[in-house]
């Protein structure tokens, strides 16, 4: 699975992540949980929400011929 859980500090409700990675990433926060994933080099990530909650992430990748 592409999404990786991030540790949330329960006292401060903060997340500590490194931004020195050269590839683009997406950070999703919903219902007190946080996940991070690398974005595809070519393609799209579609985030679906329902009732103000993240329900799913759909990945669509492709290469031009």
């Amino acid at each position: 699975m592409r999404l990786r859980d991030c540790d949330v500090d329960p006292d401060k409700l903060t997340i500590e992540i490194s931004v020195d990675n050269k590839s683009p990433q997406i950070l999703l926060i919903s219902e007190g949980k946080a996940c991070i994933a690398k974005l595809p080099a070519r393609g799209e990530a579609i985030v679906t929400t329902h009732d103000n909650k993240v329900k799913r992430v759909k990945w669509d990748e492709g290469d031009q011929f």
Side-chain angles (χ1 to χ4, degrees):
M1 186 169 227
R2 296 176 193 211
L3 293 173
R4 294 174 299 160
D5 290 335
C6 293
D7 293 329
V8 178
D9 183 345
D11 297 328
K12 298 179 184 176
L13 295 177
T14 58
I15 305 165
E16 185 175 325
I17 59 170
S18 175
V19 294
D20 63 354
N21 194 335
K22 302 241 186 253
S23 63
Q25 298 180 28
I26 186 171
L27 176 65
L28 299 170
I29 303 170
S30 180
E31 299 184 80
K33 297 184 222 172
C35 293
I36 192 167
K38 289 183 180 178
L39 290 172
R42 292 177 187 85
E44 51 189 14
I46 301 166
V47 180
T48 304
T49 61
H50 181 70
D51 291 335
N52 287 329
K53 300 174 187 174
V54 174
K55 289 297 180 183
R56 63 180 273 184
V57 180
K58 182 179 176 184
W59 304 95
D60 187 14
E61 295 183 60
D63 285 321
Q64 297 236 349
F65 182 68

